[in-house]
Amino acid sequence: MAYPFLFISFLIIFFRALKRSFSSWYALIGTFFLSSIPLLVFHASTAYSDFPQAFYYCAATIYLFLFFKTFKANKSASFGFLLISAFLLGISVWVKKSGLYYAGINILVASFFIFSERKNLSWEDKKSLGLAFLIFLLLCLPWLSYHQFYTLKSYSSEALTSLPKLPFLTLGREVVQAIWRNAFFEDNWHLLGILFLATLLLFPKLSFAQPHLYLLIIIFLQWLMIFILFCFTRLDRFIFDDTLLNRLTLHFVPVILYFSIEVIGTYLEIGKKEELKK
């Protein structure tokens, strides 16, 4: 019963995040694309935990991106976004075992950003960063101590002791082909894979420029994590079954859409400003 409310909440978060930088119409179009992703809509009406995982993790990632984006212009607002991101990321760890890995990816990228901006951090900024990290720890440590450390240990031991049945190069090729097929040749995401690829090819300067670069790194690390899980754990036996790959990809697909809409929207805004100057 709660899933439809989560879905509506996700649409509102997505819309409001886009509306901060772009027109209402553009934000509405982007939100419509989110609401039309077939597998996302399907899981929003089923009892699987994949949609809540996608909701909490992707919402946390969007707020983390807003932290990156507004850091230099409005530090007060940016740290507010960071606190929200930390709260949602902490909850995402409770939803599924994969939440621990997703949290690790976001923390890694956030740490890289903070390190790059270390000279611009005041004592108050450092206290805000500490508060965000404390919120995350307070939310996830009870679950970590109860179950997830065992999960991490179990997955690590699988990675060390279980050898794939196929040779690594063969298995690696199969995994890459499965990810490629899932992203570009199946109808779970409409044409999102093509939109993402077109964004990278048509707007490379914006795609690889800050703050979009940090979102792109998160997306890359997500795909890398899927590759590692299928190649070095017992999940290798599921590589020919698209169900698990679809569900893992679902957890961060909205981030891919948000990245594409952000980059394209930024390009359009730059074009408008240049037109006004003329």
Side-chain angles (χ1 to χ4, degrees), residues 104-249:
I105 289 173
N106 281 27
I107 291 172
L108 178 65
V109 175
S111 299
F112 178 74
F113 173 82
I114 292 167
F115 179 78
S116 66
E117 296 288 342
R118 63 190 183 282
K119 294 181 180 179
N120 300 320
L121 293 174
S122 65
W123 175 245
E124 290 297 322
D125 296 337
K126 293 176 181 178
K127 288 198 296 185
S128 297
L129 290 172
L131 177 61
F133 190 64
L134 180 62
I135 289 173
F136 172 75
L137 285 180
L138 289 176
L139 282 169
C140 70
L141 274 180
W143 182 238
L144 284 173
S145 60
Y146 175 71
H147 186 69
Q148 291 282 45
F149 279 139
Y150 172 78
T151 298
L152 186 61
K153 180 180 178 182
S154 174
Y155 277 15
S156 300
S157 63
E158 286 180 4
L160 292 173
T161 60
S162 65
L163 296 175
K165 295 179 181 179
L166 295 174
F168 173 73
L169 291 179
T170 303
L171 180 61
R173 185 177 67 250
E174 293 293 341
V175 173
V176 171
Q177 289 177 350
I179 293 174
W180 179 264
R181 182 178 64 251
N182 180 270
F184 297 103
F185 297 103
E186 295 185 0
D187 58 358
N188 295 317
W189 329 112
H190 282 324
L191 300 177
L192 179 58
I194 296 175
L195 175 65
F196 176 66
L197 188 60
T199 301
L200 295 177
L201 294 176
L202 296 176
F203 315 108
K205 290 184 178 180
L206 287 175
S207 297
F208 292 91
Q210 297 184 22
H212 303 124
L213 176 62
Y214 296 111
L215 212 53
L216 187 60
I217 292 173
I218 289 174
I219 294 169
F220 170 77
L221 290 177
Q222 287 287 356
W223 268 320
L224 179 62
M225 185 199 71
I226 290 177
F227 177 83
I228 292 172
L229 286 176
F230 278 111
C231 284
F232 297 102
T233 72
R234 294 176 185 174
L235 294 182
D236 67 291
R237 62 186 182 274
F238 296 112
I239 189 56
F240 298 108
D241 179 7
D242 288 338
T243 301
L244 180 58
L245 180 58
N246 287 337
R247 293 169 71 177
L248 289 173
T249 307

Side-chain angles (χ1 to χ4, degrees), residues 2-3 5-7 9-11 13 40 48-64 81-96 98-100 102-103 106 136 139 222 250-252 254-255:
Y3 282 25
F5 291 103
L6 284 180
F7 185 68
S9 299
F10 195 20
L11 297 181
I13 290 171
L40 186 72
Y48 294 110
S49 58
D50 294 284
F51 177 72
Q53 178 72 88
F55 167 75
Y56 286 110
Y57 174 69
C58 291
T61 304
I62 289 172
Y63 280 114
L64 181 63
F81 294 136
L82 182 63
L83 294 178
I84 297 173
S85 176
F87 177 77
L88 293 170
L89 195 63
I91 295 177
S92 73
V93 174
W94 284 75
V95 180
K96 293 195 74 171
S98 55
L100 184 61
Y102 300 157
N106 281 27
F136 172 75
L139 282 169
Q222 287 287 356
L250 174 69
H251 297 164
F252 64 95
V255 176

Side-chain angles (χ1 to χ4, degrees), residues 14-16 18-19 22-32:
F14 202 88
F15 173 79
R16 294 293 299 175
L18 289 173
K19 193 175 181 297
F22 311 112
S23 68
S24 298
W25 280 108
Y26 186 78
L28 194 61
I29 291 171
T31 306
F32 169 75

